[in-house]
Amino acid sequence: MEEQDPGQWKRTVIDASAGAIAGGISRTVTSPLDVIKIRFQVQLEPTTSWALLNGHISRPSKYTGMFQATKDIFREEGLWGFWRGNVPALLMVMPYTAIQFTVLHKLKTFAAGSSKAENHINLSAYLSYVSGALAGCAATVGSYPFDLLRTILASQGEPKVYPTMRSAFVDIISTRGFRGLYAGLSPTLVEIIPYAGLQFGTYDTFKRWTMTINFQVFSFLSVD
């Protein structure tokens, strides 16, 4: 394997940093939608009136639609209620992206025997999918506690159970230990393996196809 090219390593760091910043911005912008989604996911009551009309429950859902949920959250919690849990979400997204890109570059460098991006694109589709899946797993493990804290904080309405991220963290550690920060990790990894594998594997595949088509078109035009 060739010696690591400092320029390539610098490019990887820049890509990881740019990805982390972009992920943080997009996560902050879309936080209201994520909060509403989590509220629907964690409420115990059904989200339609069908069961109520058929006598299966004694009270309606708190949230029955996006518009109604938006009004209720704003009325009860104010504007900042839509960004509840955003700090741990940022602490999740930014290291997740940085770890993912760094590990992905390392794995492709190992598989290709070269740190140059033009050699990475020549990897087989199988290695592209495997590298993406492993990078996704590493990023998930590294950032998962913040994902858990984000879900807990975003799911609570008023009155709050945990006023701050620190109070939630301390309570989890004291009641469930360090392993409590990784509750639900197994199904998350089962989800992320095909997701990340398909994401990066498909990206590399289409990139190879595009380069091949562009080369063929350029060759054809050059002959003419």
Side-chain angles (χ1 to χ4, degrees), residues 75-104:
R75 184 181 68 252
E76 296 172 1
E77 306 168 44
L79 184 63
W80 289 112
F82 293 105
W83 278 270
R84 182 164 291 175
N86 192 54
V87 172
L90 292 177
L91 294 176
M92 173 196 70
V93 170
M94 299 181 75
Y96 180 94
T97 308
I99 293 171
Q100 188 177 50
F101 275 94
T102 301
V103 173
L104 184 66

Side-chain angles (χ1 to χ4, degrees), residues 33-45:
L33 296 174
D34 191 53
V35 168
I36 294 173
K37 177 200 73 174
I38 291 175
R39 297 295 175 88
F40 276 104
Q41 287 178 332
V42 301
Q43 72 174 357
L44 298 178
E45 303 85 6

